[in-house]
């Protein structure tokens, strides 16, 4: 077996050294009736690399990959072009096969990357500080709500109707068990986001308001106004960014008054991956540092006075503080953070701005074309690279029919909001720098053909 | 050689990415939202970036460079096939919300992996979406909460042995439970009688690590489970150490109700310097109905379905909700399934046997120079536990650990579990060769001898690492978490 | 431009430092009439990574890759499964982006690999020593003939009719200019190789006989008998191995008396690559060492007495010896040698034997099935993993027609030997561990359908 | 840390590859050919092999780690996109003898690259199959031989400047020519008058490197070419240094008849520790008809054809034959084309400008501390040439070179070209940043100062490399080319 270096001779010699007759002597503590006498039945035995490769390749071939079809999905996961050097670098064994940097003297590579990552996230979000990453955007959002409760010592969170419904689901699921109070505003097909409703829902019991920016329908809320209203009642503004590329074009949430900014970092470096692993981003005001969840990397010096980096403030964390920890999170999303950080380093601020401008331009091209289809209307007054189209019929069916024509034509609001009425004709369409004119034309042609019967 | 921060290397306007020109200006309506200037992020061209990260990487120790015997972390070889399979466009370039008809292969990966996990553990079901071990623990406890809710019971205590991973009590608290501790026996096991004494109508369940953090199998687990069940509670098993027993015994046969599986431990997905992990949770019949959304089921006709909010219907009415956006750690699923298929049922059993043999070999070849508190109890499982009792005055576990760095090895886990003074927990895993272990053992023995002889140079180890010992107190006292060097506050150098 | 680190500001500052007004001042030596005033016209300007990726991916998609069709080509290039770790390791920047190890103190990685490679090749070939690689098998073959001439001080080489015709072409082309004498024996459709003809062609003027093993039709010559005859006339036996995997099953040429063994190493680690880069293998008797072409890595010690490795015997080479060098070769095939060496290290001797046994077994399965097709006959009496089928009609057309049906069904002898008569019905079919039962069945079914009209 | 040889690590029967079982025994007829025992090659399992090669790799310096200013070698950044494109199955997993209809994309890559090379050089044609630079030289000289043969002339002398790469005279000899040397002028150029004096009816041609190995452009190249042509000869240009002039001047405009292009120099295919390279040869109208088989042509209708022996026909009757099996270095073609398309016509011009600017920057910032013999002649091209004249007694170029290793840099090319005493030829290339160059320059200046001051510690440099200076004499005197440690002759340790 190719991954097991012990030879039969080694095993014999080692068993003799440990004083066991057979390896089963080492499993004496396992109750005899539970001990398996051989490989579990009904499962295949070991297989060659070639055989496994064939099996997995056949499964992969059953999926329609985004690169092989006109592709317009977003809704919290975006397809961007990742430079080839990113994947090359994260595959270096020294990054890929290292553990959490518990021994900083021999983990400066990972640690310096995390310090750079934290700085990048903080600057991107416009926050003072950031942590070393969370599981993903949705769990980071829940952690932000918990943290806001710790900071404000209040327990009621208001969720904008523009928050990604999966994020809302995660929050409500968790809150059901922690008994936190969650006020979820409804989602409606309006050209403008629900800023007024959010502001109206804030009261003195409110720990935070959670607002996505741009929101799940592609609209852009007025964070500054919401922040002002929240702060007036002693509540925090938690901004949620599911498309960090947008921040190359529109103002950083921290600069608009958000107290905590969380997000999904998948857009940069990580890729679609059928939903995971992804990368939770978490930034906030410096004064909240000891209430933050997740790992933090900090600068220090070594015994010779040289700059170095360590994991720090671990007194917040579960392995020290146990049941009093700020979170039970242990693993972060280190390798995804590395990929994000490399991609953002390659871009730089100006590159990110260019990338964002290109995304927006491509989206304008797409929506110009798509809204020329009779019966198709654009919901949004403004958008970055994603917006909501109103179709003349249920978008769920349309998406299915498009897939049958090898077009991945967006996310239906019916799938995202299965229990909400009145959203069924909404189709969320995302466009990035990877979207070509031919993609747009194919999509438009097929959509038109479905909707108004023009032959494809 | 020192490597500057990327911010120190970069320059305004440098960029390692080229773009097509944007052919349309921002929409007029967007003007009030536009930022005034690009984010203050200096860029690097590709040659500079490749060099920066290549050089940084070389300041890391990694499993690709040598043994990484961190107890309870299971740092085993990461096969490269797993990486190449996870990068197939059919897996890596697929959106989580694509129509099901366009992702049938991806759903099949999830289903096949789920089937293996269920079969290997002898459980009824598995929740695939938890993002890591601690997230899996949370999932398991939420299932217990949901099951209790369904029974209309308000049990609010979870019993946790004092040797548990820190995540266990943190998770219990996060899930809204009160934690009560259970002591260990002098042999390093859960004290069955002490546990029984705490059982009662307020006890929701118990969280047990098996094999436990002393590297020992809990022989009483079935009896513990029976007692807990009899008292109306559930048994959560921390599966971080499943590597020691995979293919040798099924937790389901021991009465476990929920157990997370760290795909990055037992099934070799890479640790990546601290994640991502993946923590599917296998569930007993009693807890299975409460597993969170979304999940994948195989119908009687063999077809595979994704169950989400929109189609949960009556059949899954008890599912407690959604723990994450999307489906979980797909990239880790492809790697883990690749690994599992490579090993097969026979290979996985051999994994456990070799992991346990390697640990016992370390235990028996070092117990004469380092105290091994539970060595007399019999064989260990996948990790060997030592203590720093008996070293010369002032020389401690930390010094041994840092000394190992100078010998070219990553240290073992130190000061954990807490039940042993100056604990050193060595987990070689099955992917170390005998020759490699012999070199490690020779180094460990030599360090133990030096420590006993009072070799004070160990205090200043490591001497041959990229950094000498780092001042962690300074870092925590005045946290510097972001670089501000360009704001007139030069970073320390 | 993403690969160019100088910024406009850098350029200005540097020009000032070198005392130039503009960069064109640095090109004053270029005659003004020849200086281009701007980018060459008619060529595209720089392009994004994404755009280039699209262009290249579209070109790649126009090829029918071996993995996407039943595949039976060999004839000097074989498709084997290469473990994923091989490609991972050769992509490490420290291997990939290093130069020829002229500074051995900081090139021990490359040098130790070359030393290990030389040892592996020598053991595989059964020769005393081996060099650090050549361009490919065909050029190694020509270098072997030149070396035999230097060793024997004679100038006539005899080529077996079983030598790969491209190798023969290379030899004849080169000899035409060097005025060496080459005797090329004809290739005939016989069950046995032309050992007798080779032996009969040896005379006292012969420097060497060149015999492929197994030969290009898949037959296996009796090297020991040929070696004996050659040695009796003071000639050397040059054995050519185009499928090194065969040596896991059949005896090493060196052990049978070959004086020089050359080969193509592509089978292990390198892959098909549409023909290049490949890997020339070169082993010989130790006493010929100073007549060898190509780089050699040797063991030595450093100033502290530690074992280390250096390029050695460079007095044979062009950069020292100039026009008196043993060869003009400068570059070797270092990265391919690394890939070969890693693959062979993963296999080990026993793994190679298993791999060879599996290749042969798969080939037997294929030829059993294929020869059940009416009118299809097997030429060879024995074979390793490749043999010649005699079809009832011209194999060139058959190969074309099979390709139309997405079956890559071998190499026609008509293509390999365009000027030889009587070979047209020959089809060379190679089978490796990558060939599945389904591949064989599809091939057989399509072939049968073409030949005898059974509907596919 | 030391890394043993794989043979010292491996064990009989260890294997890092699993196989399906062979379902048929060897044929009876094969029995007399079977080997008695497997080759004596110990194997490694995958974890051991990954570690062995990862650790070995770390004993290498590489362009990914820092500047690699080897003059005349053009060690520039190797973009990762090139690697990923070359690995597309449509390129990497295609057999050279597949029917043309199944490899049209591969042929198109060859044709597109050929078209770029022809256009960039202003030549008539290109032979793509040569495997490396020296092989390309051979191809060019064989074209000249074939052209002379076609003219019925027996010219047997090739003129080569004394500053030429060693491959030039070796190649000329290999192609059956006699070599006559041409001296250099004090300014480091070819002596035009000396060359003219040697021209005559026995001269087949001249081999000239431009820019030459002193890092200078040959301003007389056109005049040289005119003189050679007038005398009935051909001009071969060594294109190793094309990086300095790509996009700035076309060799075809200067009268060149043949020039090889090192794809691994100008067009960034990775050097891989010594190859593989690729050496296409561009040809003038006069030599184009003689280009070797096989080649790719584009018909008037845009379709692409592969011309081989079987279909050379009348149109290609003069092709001189085949230099290699198959089509040349396809894997390098895909990388080079990817690189060329990335840069475009504007980027390639910028490449030359930045390469030349970087070299002049090194020249002008160091000429005050290191003698630069041709610095007064004007600007250099892509490389700066220094000499060790004026260093303290006993300290030489070699000591400066080894001293650079301790500073974290790869040394420059040393003792070449031969026309300068203790030559140091520094080629930074365009992919070094100004900041990186400044660090290199600071180190070089400091070493020059130490050398002038007679710092004897330079003799024993490097001190901080994986090895101290190695005994090359011992290696050559008693060559040990293979490991024999298991045959009772232990390797030195």
């Amino acid at each position: 077996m190719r991954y097991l270096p012990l030879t039969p001779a080694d095993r014999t010699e080692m068993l003799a050294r440990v004083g066991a007759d057979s390896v089963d002597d080492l499993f004496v503590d396992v109750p005899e009736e539970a001990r398996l006498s051989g490989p579990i039945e009904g499962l295949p035995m070991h297989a060659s690399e070639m055989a496994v490769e064939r099996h997995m390749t056949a499964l992969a071939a059953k999926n329609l990959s985004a690169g092989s079809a006109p592709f317009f999905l977003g809704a919290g996961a975006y397809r961007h072009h990742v430079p080839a050097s990113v994947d090359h670098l994260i595959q270096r064994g020294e990054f890929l096969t290292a553990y959490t940097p518990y021994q900083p003297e021999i983990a400066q590579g990972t640690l310096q990357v995390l310090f750079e990552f934290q700085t990048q996230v903080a600057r991107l979000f416009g926050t003072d500080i950031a942590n070393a990453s969370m599981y993903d955007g949705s769990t980071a959002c829940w952690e932000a709500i918990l943290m806001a409760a710790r900071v404000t010592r209040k327990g009621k969170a208001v969720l904008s109707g523009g928050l990604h419904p999966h994020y809302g689901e995660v929050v409500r699921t968790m809150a059901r068990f922690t008994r936190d109070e969650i006020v979820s505003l409804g989602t409606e097909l309006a050209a403008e986001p629900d800023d007024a409703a959010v502001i109206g829902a804030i009261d003195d019991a409110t720990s935070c308001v959670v607002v996505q920016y741009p929101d799940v329908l592609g609209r852009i809320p007025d964070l500054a106004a919401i922040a002002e209203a929240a702060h007036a009642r002693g509540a925090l503004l938690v901004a949620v960014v599911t498309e960090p590329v947008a921040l190359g074009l529109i103002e950083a949430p921290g600069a608009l008054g958000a107290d905590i900014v969380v997000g999904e970092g998948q857009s940069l470096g990580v890729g679609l991956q059928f939903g995971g692993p992804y990368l939770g981003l978490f930034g906030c005001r410096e004064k909240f540092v000891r209430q933050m969840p997740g790992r933090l990397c900090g600068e220090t010096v070594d015994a010779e006075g040289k700059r170095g980096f360590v994991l720090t403030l671990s007194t917040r964390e579960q392995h020290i503080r146990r049941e009093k920890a700020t979170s039970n999170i242990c693993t972060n999303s280190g390798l995804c953070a590395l990929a994000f950080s490399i991609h953002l380093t390659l871009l730089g601020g100006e590159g990110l701005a260019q990338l964002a401008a290109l995304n927006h331009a491509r989206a304008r091209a797409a929506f110009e074309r798509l809204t020329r289809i009779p019966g198709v209307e654009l919901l949004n007054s403004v958008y970055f690279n994603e917006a909501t189209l109103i179709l003349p019929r249920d978008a769920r069916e349309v998406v299915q029919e498009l897939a049958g024509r090898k077009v991945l034509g967006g996310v239906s609001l019916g799938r995202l909001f299965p229990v909400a009425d009145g959203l069924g004709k909404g189709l969320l369409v995302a466009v990035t720098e990877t979207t070509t004119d031919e993609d747009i034309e194919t999509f438009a042609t097929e959509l038109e053909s479905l909707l108004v019967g023009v032959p494809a | 050689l020192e490597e500057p921060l990327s911010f120190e290397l970069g320059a305004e306007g440098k960029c390692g990415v080229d773009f097509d020109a944007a052919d349309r200006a921002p929409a007029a309506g967007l003007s009030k939202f536009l930022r005034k200037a690009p984010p203050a992020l200096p860029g690097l061209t590709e040659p500079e970036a490749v060099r920066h990260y290549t050089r940084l990487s070389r300041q890391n120790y990694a499993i690709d460079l040598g043994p990484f015997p961190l107890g309870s972390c299971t740092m085993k070889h990461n096969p490269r096939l797993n990486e190449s399979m996870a990068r197939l466009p059919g897996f890596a370039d697929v959106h989580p919300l694509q129509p099901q008809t366009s992702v049938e292969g991806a759903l099949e990966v999830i289903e096949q992996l789920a089937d293996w996990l269920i079969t290997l553990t002898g459980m009824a079901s598995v929740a695939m979406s938890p993002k890591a071990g601690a997230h899996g623990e949370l999932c398991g406890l939420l299932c217990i909460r949901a099951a209790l809710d369904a029974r209309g019971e308000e049990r609010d205590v979870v019993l946790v042995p004092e040797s548990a991973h820190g995540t266990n009590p943190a998770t219990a608290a996060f899930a809204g439970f009160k934690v009560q501790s259970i002591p260990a026996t002098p042999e390093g096991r859960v004290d069955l009688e002490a546990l029984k004494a705490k059982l009662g109508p307020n006890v929701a369940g118990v969280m047990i690590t098996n094999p436990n953090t002393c590297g020992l199998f809990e022989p009483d687990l079935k009896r513990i489970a029976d007692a807990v069940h009899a008292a109306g509670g559930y048994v959560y098993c921390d599966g971080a150490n499943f590597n020691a027993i995979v293919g040798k015994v099924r937790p389901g046969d021991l009465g476990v109700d929920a157990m997370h599986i760290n795909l990055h431990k037992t099934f070799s997905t890479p640790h990546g310097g601290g994640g991502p992990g993946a923590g599917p949770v296998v569930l007993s019949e009693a807890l299975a109905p409460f597993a969170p959304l979304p999940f994948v089921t195989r119908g009687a006709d063999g077809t595979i379905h994704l169950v989400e909010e929109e189609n949960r219907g009556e059949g899954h009415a008890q599912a407690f909700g959604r723990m994450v956006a999307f489906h979980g750690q797909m990239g880790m699923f492809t790697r883990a399934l690749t690994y599992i298929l490579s090993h097969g049922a026979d290979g996985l059993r051999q994994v456990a046997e070799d992991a346990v043999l390697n640990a016992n070999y370390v235990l028996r070849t070092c117990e004469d120079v380092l105290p091994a508190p539970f060595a007399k109890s019999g064989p260990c499982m996948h990790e060997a536990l030592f203590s720093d009792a008996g070293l010369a005055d002032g020389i401690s576990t930390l010094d041994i650990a840092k000394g190992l760095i100078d010998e070219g090895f990553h240290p073992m886990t130190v000061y954990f579990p807490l039940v042993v003074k100056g604990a050193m927990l060595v987990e070689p895993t099955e992917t170390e060769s005998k020759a490699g272990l012999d070199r490690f053992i020779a180094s460990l023995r030599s360090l133990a001898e030096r420590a006993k002889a009072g070799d004070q140079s160990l205090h200043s180890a490591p001497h041959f690492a990229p950094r000498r010992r780092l001042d962690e107190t300074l870092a925590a006292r005045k946290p510097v978490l972001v670089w501000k060097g360009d704001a007139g506050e030069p970073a320390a150098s």
Side-chain angles (χ1 to χ4, degrees), chain A, chain B:
Chain A
M1 292 185 199
R2 59 191 182 270
Y3 306 136
L4 299 178
L6 296 188
T7 63
D10 289 337
R11 292 188 187 110
T12 305
E13 193 180 335
M14 292 165 77
L15 281 171
R17 184 68 184 79
V18 306
D21 290 334
S22 80
V23 73
D24 274 327
D25 286 0
L26 304 177
F27 288 85
V28 286
D29 286 336
V30 179
E32 195 158 354
E33 64 279 12
R35 247 182 274 162
L36 300 167
S37 59
I40 295 175
E41 285 181 25
L43 296 175
M45 297 295 121
H46 71 279
S48 71
E49 185 170 315
M50 194 172 69
V52 176
E53 195 177 300
R54 258 187 210 131
H55 179 91
M56 297 302 290
T57 304
L59 288 177
K62 287 185 174 183
N63 303 319
L64 183 61
S65 70
S68 59
F71 176 87
F72 293 87
L73 280 75
Y78 300 88
R79 182 168 193 260
H80 291 287
H81 185 265
V82 179
S85 51
V86 174
D87 192 49
H88 171 79
L89 289 164
I90 72 168
Q91 287 200 65
R92 280 185 61 82
E94 292 92 331
F95 283 134
L96 186 75
T97 73
Y99 199 70
T100 306
Y102 289 140
Q103 297 287 345
E105 297 87 355
I106 47 176
Q108 287 296 304
T110 292
L111 286 160
Q112 183 168 330
V113 166
L114 291 179
F115 185 78
E116 294 179 3
F117 170 81
Q118 291 174 178
T119 306
Q120 288 175 313
V121 172
R123 290 181 176 205
L124 183 67
F125 279 177
T127 53
D128 298 330
I129 55 174
N131 76 10
S133 80
M134 314 291 283
Y135 302 137
D136 73 348
S138 67
T139 52
C141 178
W142 168 239
E143 296 272 5
I145 290 170
L146 285 181
M147 177 174 147
R150 288 193 297 271
V151 168
T152 61
R153 297 170 184 269
K154 300 193 278 189
K156 180 170 118 181
V158 175
L159 311 188
S160 152
L163 180 65
H164 193 293
H166 283 183
Y167 287 43
E169 272 297 300
V170 170
V171 169
R172 285 185 291 274
T173 296
M174 297 305 302
R176 185 181 139 207
F177 294 104
T178 56
R179 319 303 198 221
D180 288 280
E181 186 184 353
I182 306 295
V183 177
S184 297
L185 301 177
T187 307
E188 282 169 27
L189 286 187
E192 303 297 336
D194 62 352
D195 302 358
V198 169
I199 290 171
I202 302 171
D203 62 22
D204 290 334
T206 304
S207 61
C208 64
V209 291
V210 179
V211 181
Q212 186 172 322
Y213 171 86
D215 81 1
V216 71
L217 302 187
R219 305 167 305 190
I220 306 180
D222 182 351
L223 290 187
I226 299 170
E228 194 181 334
H231 295 162
R233 308 298 284 263
L236 304 185
L237 170 58
V238 174
V240 177
V241 177
T242 63
E243 172 50 299
V245 172
L247 303 186
L249 192 65
I250 63 176
E251 191 54 89
L256 298 169
D259 304 281
I260 305 174
V261 187
V262 296
E264 173 51 63
Q266 156 281 332
S267 272
L268 294 176
V270 178
L272 290 175
Q273 311 280 357
F274 198 53
Y278 279 3
L279 172 67
L281 308 175
F282 198 111
C284 67
R285 297 187 188 278
E286 188 148 26
K287 63 184 176 188
F288 303 155
V289 60
R290 284 170 205 274
Q291 298 298 339
M292 280 181 93
R295 287 187 189 141
L296 292 170
C297 172
E299 183 181 320
T300 187
V301 294
D302 79 353
E304 292 176 341
K306 286 190 192 162
R307 177 171 72 184
F309 303 94
V310 293
L311 292 183
T312 191
L313 297 178
S314 55
T315 48
R316 300 162 302 112
E317 288 186 76
Q318 45 74 27
H319 63 283
I320 305 289
R321 217 169 184 197
R322 302 177 75 88
E323 63 266 31
K324 298 199 173 57
T326 57
S327 164
N328 81 325
I329 196 170
C330 174
T331 308
N332 64 356
S333 199
L335 202 69
C336 299
L338 173 65
F340 176 98
S341 187
I342 298 173
H343 194 173
L344 193 48
T345 297
L346 284 164
L347 286 166
E350 295 194 17
L352 184 70
Q354 275 191 66
L355 175 62
L358 179 56
N359 269 255
H360 180 62
R362 298 271 72 213
R364 291 197 70 186
F367 290 115
E368 281 168 17
R369 173 68 186 88
L370 291 166
T371 52
R372 288 210 304 271
I373 301 171
V376 173
E377 284 171 32
L378 179 67
L379 174 72
N380 305 47
S381 64
V382 297
Y383 55 83
F384 166 60
N385 67 356
E386 183 171 28
T388 302
L389 292 177
I390 310 298
L391 306 184
R393 62 183 175 90
D394 191 283
R396 276 204 260 197
E397 298 161 18
V398 172
V399 165
Q400 293 292 347
E401 290 165 27
L402 284 169
R405 299 175 179 213
K406 303 278 182 220
V407 172
L408 295 168
V411 178
S412 68
L413 296 189
R415 178 164 182 192
L416 281 176
F417 297 91
V419 296
D421 291 332
L423 303 183
K425 292 178 177 173
L427 177 67
L428 196 53
V429 173
V431 183
T432 72
E433 78 284 359
T434 67
T435 314
T436 64
D437 286 336
E438 298 81 62
D439 291 338
I440 294 168
E441 192 53 41
T442 304
F443 179 24
T445 306
E446 295 289 353
L447 182 60
E448 185 155 9
S449 140
L450 280 177
L451 295 177
V452 295
V454 176
Chain B
L1 285 166
E2 304 306 305
E3 182 64 14
L5 291 167
S6 58
F7 311 103
E8 294 162 342
L9 289 168
E12 285 299 316
K14 270 201 188 179
C15 186
V17 184
D18 293 313
F19 301 97
D20 300 336
D23 56 349
R24 282 165 179 79
L30 208 56
S31 60
K32 68 178 172 212
F33 298 103
L34 296 180
R35 59 188 311 149
K36 280 95 209 149
L41 293 167
L44 295 179
T45 58
E46 184 177 301
E48 296 169 288
V50 167
R51 205 173 274 173
H52 177 61
Y53 292 103
T54 301
R55 290 166 59 112
L56 277 182
S57 76
R58 289 167 59 102
Q59 299 187 20
N60 271 2
Y61 190 91
I63 195 76
D64 277 5
L65 293 173
F68 214 126
L70 273 179
S72 205
C73 297
T74 314
M75 286 294 287
K76 59 166 71 173
H77 173 64
N78 300 143
R80 261 50 200 194
L81 179 66
N82 305 0
E83 294 305 307
S84 54
M85 292 301 97
R87 284 168 172 79
L88 291 170
F91 295 135
D93 193 24
V94 175
H95 191 285
L97 297 176
Q98 282 183 212
Q100 288 195 36
T101 51
S102 71
V103 292
E104 288 176 351
L107 297 177
E108 212 163 323
V109 165
I110 298 177
E111 201 275 338
Q112 289 183 6
L113 177 60
D115 191 54
W116 272 93
L117 297 180
I118 287 168
T119 309
L120 288 170
T121 56
M123 303 285 278
S125 174
V126 62
M128 295 296 287
S129 71
K131 289 270 184 179
H135 207 226
E137 293 175 27
L138 188 59
C139 175
L141 290 199
L142 296 185
C143 285
I144 292 173
R145 281 288 295 265
L148 291 169
D149 285 355
R151 281 159 47 184
E153 296 186 28
E154 275 277 2
R155 294 167 177 250
D156 64 350
V157 169
V158 166
L159 305 178
V160 181
E162 58 185 9
S163 66
H165 286 127
T167 46
N168 289 180
T171 301
F174 209 72
F177 290 109
K178 297 191 184 76
V179 175
Q180 287 187 14
S181 199
I182 316 168
T185 65
E187 291 77 34
R189 267 84 175 204
V190 172
D191 187 327
L192 176 61
E193 294 312 314
L195 181 140
K196 279 185 179 167
K198 299 222 174 189
L199 290 174
N202 62 333
V203 173
V206 60
M207 295 183 86
I208 285 192
T209 305
N210 188 39
N212 71 25
T213 58
C214 299
L216 303 174
F217 195 88
E218 292 285 358
D220 286 336
L221 181 56
K222 185 76 176 72
R223 275 182 290 272
I224 292 169
D226 290 345
V228 171
H229 290 157
Y234 297 94
V235 176
Y236 187 88
C237 181
D238 184 318
N241 297 336
F242 189 50
N243 199 54
I245 57 169
V246 57
K248 296 294 286 184
V249 54
R250 295 179 300 186
D253 294 341
L254 301 171
V256 167
D257 290 297
M259 181 179 91
H260 75 268
I261 297 172
N262 299 84
L263 296 185
H264 53 295
K265 294 182 180 175
T266 307
F267 299 116
S268 89
T269 70
H271 291 242
V281 179
V282 287
L283 298 167
S284 64
E285 292 284 357
L287 296 184
F290 308 100
L293 299 171
F295 46 85
V296 175
T297 59
R298 186 183 283 273
D301 61 349
T303 58
I304 289 180
H305 304 280
L306 175 67
V307 178
E308 290 184 302
E309 288 83 353
E310 64 167 337
N311 62 350
R312 63 193 291 181
E314 288 304 308
H316 306 287
Q318 291 184 292
F320 72 68
R322 181 182 281 270
M323 289 189 73
V324 290
F326 313 127
H327 316 292
Q329 307 288 62
M330 182 66 188
M332 302 294 119
F333 299 161
T334 51
R335 289 172 174 86
L337 181 60
T338 302
Y339 176 88
I340 284 173
L341 293 171
S342 295
H343 279 84
D346 54 337
L348 291 172
R349 188 175 158 88
Q350 189 72 52
V351 161
E353 292 182 355
D354 284 0
V356 169
L357 177 58
N358 274 353
N360 278 281
Y361 186 67
V362 171
L363 180 66
R364 297 311 171 194
T365 52
C366 293
E367 62 179 330
D368 59 329
V369 291
L370 276 175
F374 305 121
K376 294 213 181 62
S377 324
C380 62
M381 289 274 99
H382 60 301
E383 46 197 5
L385 180 58
F386 301 100
S387 127
D388 67 357
L391 302 186
D393 248 13
I395 297 187
S396 67
T397 285
L398 187 67
D399 302 315
I400 300 272
K402 300 297 184 190
L404 271 173
I405 293 175
D406 283 338
E407 298 276 325
F409 296 102
H410 197 281
M412 65 289 275
T413 292
V414 293
Y415 302 108
F416 183 86
L418 306 172
V419 293
V420 166
K421 173 186 176 299
M424 293 180 250
L425 191 62
V426 179
E427 179 178 0
T429 83
E430 73 282 4
T431 59
E432 292 304 319
S433 69
K434 177 173 177 298
L437 277 187
D438 285 338
R439 285 190 293 271
F440 174 78
I441 289 163
S443 287
L444 186 57
R445 290 183 59 90
S446 134
L447 285 166
E449 306 283 9
R450 286 167 59 195
K452 284 183 176 171
D455 179 347
Q456 297 300 316
S457 74
L458 286 174
H459 280 310
S460 52
H463 302 93
F464 306 118
R467 282 290 177 278
R468 305 294 296 273
R469 288 195 202 185
L470 287 147
D471 188 342
E472 307 206 13
T473 311
L474 172 68
R477 207 178 60 231
K478 294 184 59 175
V480 177
L481 306 179
V482 297
W483 186 71
K484 295 176 182 168
D486 54 359
E489 305 175 38
S493 67

